[in-house]
mmCIF file of all heavy atoms in Angstrom:
data_model
loop_
_atom_site.group_PDB
_atom_site.id
_atom_site.type_symbol
_atom_site.label_atom_id
_atom_site.label_comp_id
_atom_site.label_asym_id
_atom_site.label_seq_id
_atom_site.Cartn_x
_atom_site.Cartn_y
_atom_site.Cartn_z
ATOM 1 N N SER R 993 14.789 5.704 -5.585
ATOM 2 C CA SER R 993 15.150 6.931 -4.876
ATOM 3 C C SER R 993 14.638 6.897 -3.444
ATOM 4 O O SER R 993 15.108 7.652 -2.587
ATOM 5 C CB SER R 993 14.583 8.160 -5.603
ATOM 6 O OG SER R 993 13.177 8.234 -5.468
ATOM 7 N N TRP R 994 13.669 6.030 -3.167
ATOM 8 C CA TRP R 994 13.163 5.842 -1.797
ATOM 9 C C TRP R 994 14.063 4.848 -1.067
ATOM 10 O O TRP R 994 14.685 5.156 -0.069
ATOM 11 C CB TRP R 994 11.724 5.360 -1.868
ATOM 12 C CG TRP R 994 11.012 5.218 -0.565
ATOM 13 C CD1 TRP R 994 11.398 5.719 0.643
ATOM 14 C CD2 TRP R 994 9.772 4.546 -0.345
ATOM 15 N NE1 TRP R 994 10.481 5.393 1.616
ATOM 16 C CE2 TRP R 994 9.469 4.671 1.037
ATOM 17 C CE3 TRP R 994 8.889 3.844 -1.159
ATOM 18 C CZ2 TRP R 994 8.321 4.120 1.596
ATOM 19 C CZ3 TRP R 994 7.741 3.303 -0.610
ATOM 20 C CH2 TRP R 994 7.464 3.438 0.758
ATOM 21 N N TYR R 995 14.137 3.627 -1.592
ATOM 22 C CA TYR R 995 15.122 2.642 -1.139
ATOM 23 C C TYR R 995 15.263 1.591 -2.230
ATOM 24 O O TYR R 995 14.315 1.303 -2.963
ATOM 25 C CB TYR R 995 14.728 1.997 0.199
ATOM 26 C CG TYR R 995 13.444 1.204 0.188
ATOM 27 C CD1 TYR R 995 13.449 -0.157 -0.065
ATOM 28 C CD2 TYR R 995 12.227 1.823 0.453
ATOM 29 C CE1 TYR R 995 12.264 -0.900 -0.070
ATOM 30 C CE2 TYR R 995 11.044 1.101 0.454
ATOM 31 C CZ TYR R 995 11.068 -0.250 0.190
ATOM 32 O OH TYR R 995 9.905 -0.966 0.179
ATOM 33 N N SER R 996 16.442 1.035 -2.369
ATOM 34 C CA SER R 996 16.725 0.076 -3.434
ATOM 35 C C SER R 996 16.206 -1.305 -3.061
ATOM 36 O O SER R 996 16.438 -1.798 -1.951
ATOM 37 C CB SER R 996 18.230 0.008 -3.698
ATOM 38 O OG SER R 996 18.497 -0.860 -4.796
ATOM 39 N N LEU R 997 15.502 -1.911 -3.995
ATOM 40 C CA LEU R 997 14.870 -3.209 -3.780
ATOM 41 C C LEU R 997 15.220 -4.119 -4.946
ATOM 42 O O LEU R 997 14.967 -3.768 -6.105
ATOM 43 C CB LEU R 997 13.355 -3.012 -3.666
ATOM 44 C CG LEU R 997 12.429 -4.183 -3.365
ATOM 45 C CD1 LEU R 997 11.093 -3.646 -2.847
ATOM 46 C CD2 LEU R 997 12.167 -5.056 -4.594
ATOM 47 N N SER R 998 15.806 -5.255 -4.666
ATOM 48 C CA SER R 998 16.197 -6.204 -5.708
ATOM 49 C C SER R 998 15.180 -7.329 -5.821
ATOM 50 O O SER R 998 14.584 -7.751 -4.828
ATOM 51 C CB SER R 998 17.578 -6.789 -5.384
ATOM 52 O OG SER R 998 18.011 -7.647 -6.417
ATOM 53 N N LYS R 999 14.946 -7.805 -7.032
ATOM 54 C CA LYS R 999 14.067 -8.944 -7.316
ATOM 55 C C LYS R 999 12.601 -8.651 -6.999
ATOM 56 O O LYS R 999 11.840 -9.527 -6.604
ATOM 57 C CB LYS R 999 14.530 -10.197 -6.554
ATOM 58 C CG LYS R 999 15.939 -10.646 -6.893
ATOM 59 C CD LYS R 999 16.309 -11.932 -6.165
ATOM 60 C CE LYS R 999 17.712 -12.387 -6.526
ATOM 61 N NZ LYS R 999 18.073 -13.655 -5.835
ATOM 62 N N GLY R 1000 12.205 -7.393 -7.215
ATOM 63 C CA GLY R 1000 10.821 -6.999 -6.965
ATOM 64 C C GLY R 1000 9.915 -7.290 -8.147
ATOM 65 O O GLY R 1000 10.354 -7.487 -9.283
ATOM 66 N N MET R 1001 8.611 -7.273 -7.882
ATOM 67 C CA MET R 1001 7.633 -7.656 -8.903
ATOM 68 C C MET R 1001 7.410 -6.574 -9.941
ATOM 69 O O MET R 1001 7.237 -6.879 -11.123
ATOM 70 C CB MET R 1001 6.302 -8.040 -8.249
ATOM 71 C CG MET R 1001 5.281 -8.577 -9.240
ATOM 72 S SD MET R 1001 3.899 -9.460 -8.489
ATOM 73 C CE MET R 1001 3.002 -8.111 -7.739
ATOM 74 N N GLN R 1002 7.425 -5.279 -9.557
ATOM 75 C CA GLN R 1002 7.093 -4.266 -10.555
ATOM 76 C C GLN R 1002 8.193 -4.143 -11.610
ATOM 77 O O GLN R 1002 7.894 -4.004 -12.805
ATOM 78 C CB GLN R 1002 6.767 -2.921 -9.911
ATOM 79 C CG GLN R 1002 7.902 -2.107 -9.379
ATOM 80 C CD GLN R 1002 7.439 -0.721 -8.911
ATOM 81 O OE1 GLN R 1002 6.256 -0.406 -8.886
ATOM 82 N NE2 GLN R 1002 8.388 0.110 -8.514
ATOM 83 N N ASP R 1003 9.463 -4.206 -11.215
ATOM 84 C CA ASP R 1003 10.534 -4.172 -12.208
ATOM 85 C C ASP R 1003 10.476 -5.389 -13.115
ATOM 86 O O ASP R 1003 10.699 -5.293 -14.328
ATOM 87 C CB ASP R 1003 11.900 -4.113 -11.514
ATOM 88 C CG ASP R 1003 12.201 -2.748 -10.900
ATOM 89 O OD1 ASP R 1003 11.310 -1.868 -10.942
ATOM 90 O OD2 ASP R 1003 13.316 -2.575 -10.373
ATOM 91 N N PHE R 1004 10.163 -6.546 -12.539
ATOM 92 C CA PHE R 1004 10.079 -7.771 -13.331
ATOM 93 C C PHE R 1004 8.985 -7.659 -14.392
ATOM 94 O O PHE R 1004 9.192 -8.032 -15.550
ATOM 95 C CB PHE R 1004 9.811 -8.975 -12.434
ATOM 96 C CG PHE R 1004 9.659 -10.262 -13.199
ATOM 97 C CD1 PHE R 1004 10.767 -10.999 -13.577
ATOM 98 C CD2 PHE R 1004 8.403 -10.720 -13.573
ATOM 99 C CE1 PHE R 1004 10.632 -12.176 -14.299
ATOM 100 C CE2 PHE R 1004 8.254 -11.894 -14.298
ATOM 101 C CZ PHE R 1004 9.377 -12.616 -14.656
ATOM 102 N N ASN R 1005 7.820 -7.167 -14.023
ATOM 103 C CA ASN R 1005 6.735 -6.987 -14.990
ATOM 104 C C ASN R 1005 7.186 -6.160 -16.177
ATOM 105 O O ASN R 1005 6.944 -6.518 -17.328
ATOM 106 C CB ASN R 1005 5.541 -6.291 -14.320
ATOM 107 C CG ASN R 1005 4.529 -7.252 -13.743
ATOM 108 O OD1 ASN R 1005 3.569 -7.638 -14.407
ATOM 109 N ND2 ASN R 1005 4.731 -7.635 -12.500
ATOM 110 N N TYR R 1006 7.828 -5.060 -15.887
ATOM 111 C CA TYR R 1006 8.234 -4.125 -16.932
ATOM 112 C C TYR R 1006 9.319 -4.718 -17.831
ATOM 113 O O TYR R 1006 9.246 -4.639 -19.062
ATOM 114 C CB TYR R 1006 8.728 -2.835 -16.275
ATOM 115 C CG TYR R 1006 9.245 -1.793 -17.236
ATOM 116 C CD1 TYR R 1006 8.400 -1.153 -18.130
ATOM 117 C CD2 TYR R 1006 10.596 -1.430 -17.231
ATOM 118 C CE1 TYR R 1006 8.873 -0.183 -18.999
ATOM 119 C CE2 TYR R 1006 11.077 -0.456 -18.083
ATOM 120 C CZ TYR R 1006 10.211 0.165 -18.976
ATOM 121 O OH TYR R 1006 10.691 1.124 -19.827
ATOM 122 N N LEU R 1007 10.324 -5.331 -17.234
ATOM 123 C CA LEU R 1007 11.470 -5.802 -18.012
ATOM 124 C C LEU R 1007 11.189 -7.094 -18.761
ATOM 125 O O LEU R 1007 11.744 -7.320 -19.840
ATOM 126 C CB LEU R 1007 12.678 -5.994 -17.079
ATOM 127 C CG LEU R 1007 13.240 -4.701 -16.485
ATOM 128 C CD1 LEU R 1007 14.316 -5.015 -15.457
ATOM 129 C CD2 LEU R 1007 13.790 -3.796 -17.590
ATOM 130 N N HIS R 1008 10.328 -7.940 -18.225
ATOM 131 C CA HIS R 1008 10.070 -9.226 -18.879
ATOM 132 C C HIS R 1008 8.928 -9.165 -19.881
ATOM 133 O O HIS R 1008 8.975 -9.841 -20.912
ATOM 134 C CB HIS R 1008 9.790 -10.307 -17.840
ATOM 135 C CG HIS R 1008 9.625 -11.685 -18.423
ATOM 136 N ND1 HIS R 1008 10.584 -12.262 -19.234
ATOM 137 C CD2 HIS R 1008 8.611 -12.591 -18.329
ATOM 138 C CE1 HIS R 1008 10.175 -13.473 -19.615
ATOM 139 N NE2 HIS R 1008 8.982 -13.680 -19.083
ATOM 140 N N THR R 1009 7.912 -8.359 -19.601
ATOM 141 C CA THR R 1009 6.719 -8.386 -20.467
ATOM 142 C C THR R 1009 6.276 -7.030 -20.987
ATOM 143 O O THR R 1009 5.300 -6.954 -21.738
ATOM 144 C CB THR R 1009 5.522 -9.003 -19.718
ATOM 145 O OG1 THR R 1009 5.089 -8.097 -18.690
ATOM 146 C CG2 THR R 1009 5.885 -10.340 -19.091
ATOM 147 N N ASN R 1010 6.973 -5.932 -20.607
ATOM 148 C CA ASN R 1010 6.553 -4.578 -20.976
ATOM 149 C C ASN R 1010 5.249 -4.163 -20.312
ATOM 150 O O ASN R 1010 4.611 -3.198 -20.748
ATOM 151 C CB ASN R 1010 6.417 -4.411 -22.497
ATOM 152 C CG ASN R 1010 7.695 -3.931 -23.144
ATOM 153 O OD1 ASN R 1010 8.739 -3.868 -22.508
ATOM 154 N ND2 ASN R 1010 7.629 -3.616 -24.429
ATOM 155 N N CYS R 1011 4.809 -4.869 -19.277
ATOM 156 C CA CYS R 1011 3.639 -4.463 -18.519
ATOM 157 C C CYS R 1011 4.035 -3.316 -17.582
ATOM 158 O O CYS R 1011 5.003 -3.424 -16.842
ATOM 159 C CB CYS R 1011 3.077 -5.631 -17.719
ATOM 160 S SG CYS R 1011 1.707 -5.186 -16.625
ATOM 161 N N PHE R 1012 3.272 -2.234 -17.626
ATOM 162 C CA PHE R 1012 3.562 -1.072 -16.803
ATOM 163 C C PHE R 1012 2.907 -1.263 -15.438
ATOM 164 O O PHE R 1012 1.704 -1.062 -15.289
ATOM 165 C CB PHE R 1012 3.037 0.195 -17.474
ATOM 166 C CG PHE R 1012 3.905 0.668 -18.605
ATOM 167 C CD1 PHE R 1012 4.075 -0.089 -19.747
ATOM 168 C CD2 PHE R 1012 4.578 1.879 -18.513
ATOM 169 C CE1 PHE R 1012 4.883 0.334 -20.787
ATOM 170 C CE2 PHE R 1012 5.390 2.318 -19.546
ATOM 171 C CZ PHE R 1012 5.555 1.539 -20.693
ATOM 172 N N GLU R 1013 3.703 -1.659 -14.456
ATOM 173 C CA GLU R 1013 3.192 -1.872 -13.102
ATOM 174 C C GLU R 1013 3.767 -0.832 -12.159
ATOM 175 O O GLU R 1013 4.963 -0.532 -12.207
ATOM 176 C CB GLU R 1013 3.540 -3.274 -12.594
ATOM 177 C CG GLU R 1013 3.076 -3.511 -11.144
ATOM 178 C CD GLU R 1013 3.154 -4.953 -10.710
ATOM 179 O OE1 GLU R 1013 2.361 -5.763 -11.227
ATOM 180 O OE2 GLU R 1013 4.009 -5.278 -9.859
ATOM 181 N N ILE R 1014 2.897 -0.304 -11.295
ATOM 182 C CA ILE R 1014 3.356 0.542 -10.206
ATOM 183 C C ILE R 1014 2.943 -0.111 -8.888
ATOM 184 O O ILE R 1014 2.088 -0.993 -8.856
ATOM 185 C CB ILE R 1014 2.811 1.984 -10.294
ATOM 186 C CG1 ILE R 1014 1.287 2.016 -10.106
ATOM 187 C CG2 ILE R 1014 3.210 2.621 -11.619
ATOM 188 C CD1 ILE R 1014 0.728 3.436 -10.015
ATOM 189 N N THR R 1015 3.572 0.323 -7.808
ATOM 190 C CA THR R 1015 3.272 -0.201 -6.481
ATOM 191 C C THR R 1015 2.572 0.884 -5.678
ATOM 192 O O THR R 1015 3.095 1.990 -5.546
ATOM 193 C CB THR R 1015 4.566 -0.638 -5.771
ATOM 194 O OG1 THR R 1015 5.196 -1.668 -6.540
ATOM 195 C CG2 THR R 1015 4.267 -1.174 -4.375
ATOM 196 N N LEU R 1016 1.400 0.552 -5.163
ATOM 197 C CA LEU R 1016 0.598 1.511 -4.411
ATOM 198 C C LEU R 1016 0.694 1.199 -2.921
ATOM 199 O O LEU R 1016 0.213 0.161 -2.470
ATOM 200 C CB LEU R 1016 -0.862 1.456 -4.871
ATOM 201 C CG LEU R 1016 -1.089 1.774 -6.351
ATOM 202 C CD1 LEU R 1016 -2.519 1.472 -6.748
ATOM 203 C CD2 LEU R 1016 -0.743 3.236 -6.645
ATOM 204 N N GLU R 1017 1.349 2.077 -2.191
ATOM 205 C CA GLU R 1017 1.384 1.975 -0.726
ATOM 206 C C GLU R 1017 0.194 2.779 -0.214
ATOM 207 O O GLU R 1017 0.098 3.989 -0.448
ATOM 208 C CB GLU R 1017 2.697 2.541 -0.191
ATOM 209 C CG GLU R 1017 3.947 1.871 -0.733
ATOM 210 C CD GLU R 1017 4.281 0.571 -0.010
ATOM 211 O OE1 GLU R 1017 3.589 0.269 0.987
ATOM 212 O OE2 GLU R 1017 5.222 -0.116 -0.427
ATOM 213 N N LEU R 1018 -0.734 2.117 0.513
ATOM 214 C CA LEU R 1018 -2.055 2.712 0.706
ATOM 215 C C LEU R 1018 -2.438 3.040 2.136
ATOM 216 O O LEU R 1018 -3.480 3.661 2.355
ATOM 217 C CB LEU R 1018 -3.115 1.785 0.090
ATOM 218 C CG LEU R 1018 -3.008 1.599 -1.428
ATOM 219 C CD1 LEU R 1018 -4.049 0.613 -1.918
ATOM 220 C CD2 LEU R 1018 -3.145 2.933 -2.141
ATOM 221 N N SER R 1019 -1.656 2.625 3.112
ATOM 222 C CA SER R 1019 -2.059 2.915 4.487
ATOM 223 C C SER R 1019 -0.850 2.906 5.413
ATOM 224 O O SER R 1019 0.064 2.089 5.241
ATOM 225 C CB SER R 1019 -3.083 1.888 4.981
ATOM 226 O OG SER R 1019 -2.551 0.581 4.953
ATOM 227 N N CYS R 1020 -0.860 3.813 6.391
ATOM 228 C CA CYS R 1020 0.216 3.827 7.383
ATOM 229 C C CYS R 1020 0.185 2.549 8.212
ATOM 230 O O CYS R 1020 1.227 1.954 8.501
ATOM 231 C CB CYS R 1020 0.080 5.047 8.291
ATOM 232 S SG CYS R 1020 0.050 6.625 7.424
ATOM 233 N N ASP R 1021 -1.017 2.139 8.584
ATOM 234 C CA ASP R 1021 -1.216 0.926 9.369
ATOM 235 C C ASP R 1021 -1.343 -0.255 8.419
ATOM 236 O O ASP R 1021 -2.225 -0.277 7.562
ATOM 237 C CB ASP R 1021 -2.478 1.067 10.225
ATOM 238 C CG ASP R 1021 -2.656 -0.070 11.214
ATOM 239 O OD1 ASP R 1021 -1.937 -1.086 11.086
ATOM 240 O OD2 ASP R 1021 -3.521 0.038 12.099
ATOM 241 N N LYS R 1022 -0.459 -1.225 8.572
ATOM 242 C CA LYS R 1022 -0.494 -2.356 7.651
ATOM 243 C C LYS R 1022 -1.747 -3.212 7.802
ATOM 244 O O LYS R 1022 -2.204 -3.845 6.848
ATOM 245 C CB LYS R 1022 0.752 -3.233 7.842
ATOM 246 C CG LYS R 1022 2.039 -2.524 7.448
ATOM 247 C CD LYS R 1022 3.215 -3.486 7.382
ATOM 248 C CE LYS R 1022 4.456 -2.762 6.851
ATOM 249 N NZ LYS R 1022 5.500 -3.697 6.425
ATOM 250 N N PHE R 1023 -2.290 -3.264 9.005
ATOM 251 C CA PHE R 1023 -3.513 -4.044 9.258
ATOM 252 C C PHE R 1023 -4.519 -3.106 9.930
ATOM 253 O O PHE R 1023 -4.745 -3.155 11.142
ATOM 254 C CB PHE R 1023 -3.211 -5.237 10.167
ATOM 255 C CG PHE R 1023 -4.145 -6.403 9.990
ATOM 256 C CD1 PHE R 1023 -3.663 -7.646 9.575
ATOM 257 C CD2 PHE R 1023 -5.512 -6.280 10.228
ATOM 258 C CE1 PHE R 1023 -4.520 -8.732 9.410
ATOM 259 C CE2 PHE R 1023 -6.377 -7.345 10.065
ATOM 260 C CZ PHE R 1023 -5.889 -8.573 9.656
ATOM 261 N N PRO R 1024 -5.149 -2.214 9.144
ATOM 262 C CA PRO R 1024 -6.049 -1.221 9.743
ATOM 263 C C PRO R 1024 -7.249 -1.872 10.423
ATOM 264 O O PRO R 1024 -7.683 -2.965 10.053
ATOM 265 C CB PRO R 1024 -6.481 -0.367 8.549
ATOM 266 C CG PRO R 1024 -6.238 -1.216 7.359
ATOM 267 C CD PRO R 1024 -5.077 -2.094 7.686
ATOM 268 N N ARG R 1025 -7.767 -1.177 11.432
ATOM 269 C CA ARG R 1025 -8.941 -1.666 12.141
ATOM 270 C C ARG R 1025 -10.138 -1.711 11.202
ATOM 271 O O ARG R 1025 -10.245 -0.935 10.264
ATOM 272 C CB ARG R 1025 -9.232 -0.763 13.341
ATOM 273 C CG ARG R 1025 -8.187 -0.839 14.440
ATOM 274 C CD ARG R 1025 -8.466 0.125 15.573
ATOM 275 N NE ARG R 1025 -8.407 1.517 15.138
ATOM 276 C CZ ARG R 1025 -9.456 2.317 15.069
ATOM 277 N NH1 ARG R 1025 -10.666 1.870 15.396
ATOM 278 N NH2 ARG R 1025 -9.317 3.562 14.680
ATOM 279 N N GLN R 1026 -11.042 -2.608 11.484
ATOM 280 C CA GLN R 1026 -12.208 -2.799 10.621
ATOM 281 C C GLN R 1026 -13.015 -1.507 10.470
ATOM 282 O O GLN R 1026 -13.549 -1.221 9.393
ATOM 283 C CB GLN R 1026 -13.081 -3.911 11.193
ATOM 284 C CG GLN R 1026 -14.167 -4.405 10.250
ATOM 285 C CD GLN R 1026 -14.623 -5.796 10.613
ATOM 286 O OE1 GLN R 1026 -13.919 -6.765 10.357
ATOM 287 N NE2 GLN R 1026 -15.789 -5.901 11.227
ATOM 288 N N GLU R 1027 -13.055 -0.687 11.532
ATOM 289 C CA GLU R 1027 -13.818 0.555 11.467
ATOM 290 C C GLU R 1027 -13.241 1.546 10.468
ATOM 291 O O GLU R 1027 -13.915 2.499 10.070
ATOM 292 C CB GLU R 1027 -13.833 1.242 12.832
ATOM 293 C CG GLU R 1027 -14.136 0.456 14.049
ATOM 294 C CD GLU R 1027 -13.036 -0.394 14.589
ATOM 295 O OE1 GLU R 1027 -12.932 -1.562 14.157
ATOM 296 O OE2 GLU R 1027 -12.283 0.089 15.455
ATOM 297 N N GLU R 1028 -11.988 1.365 10.082
ATOM 298 C CA GLU R 1028 -11.340 2.298 9.164
ATOM 299 C C GLU R 1028 -11.546 1.927 7.700
ATOM 300 O O GLU R 1028 -11.202 2.714 6.809
ATOM 301 C CB GLU R 1028 -9.838 2.346 9.469
ATOM 302 C CG GLU R 1028 -9.509 2.840 10.873
ATOM 303 C CD GLU R 1028 -8.039 2.715 11.213
ATOM 304 O OE1 GLU R 1028 -7.251 2.408 10.293
ATOM 305 O OE2 GLU R 1028 -7.678 2.913 12.375
#
Side-chain angles (χ1 to χ4, degrees):
S993 71
W994 185 14
Y995 63 92
S996 184
L997 183 161
S998 184
K999 300 183 179 181
M1001 186 164 72
Q1002 75 173 6
D1003 286 4
F1004 178 84
N1005 268 268
Y1006 177 67
L1007 293 173
H1008 185 55
T1009 70
N1010 269 9
C1011 175
F1012 283 64
E1013 177 168 291
I1014 66 173
T1015 299
L1016 300 171
E1017 302 279 354
L1018 296 177
S1019 60
C1020 304
D1021 188 348
K1022 294 191 175 196
F1023 207 119
R1025 292 177 296 112
Q1026 192 158 285
E1027 313 78 271
E1028 298 173 9

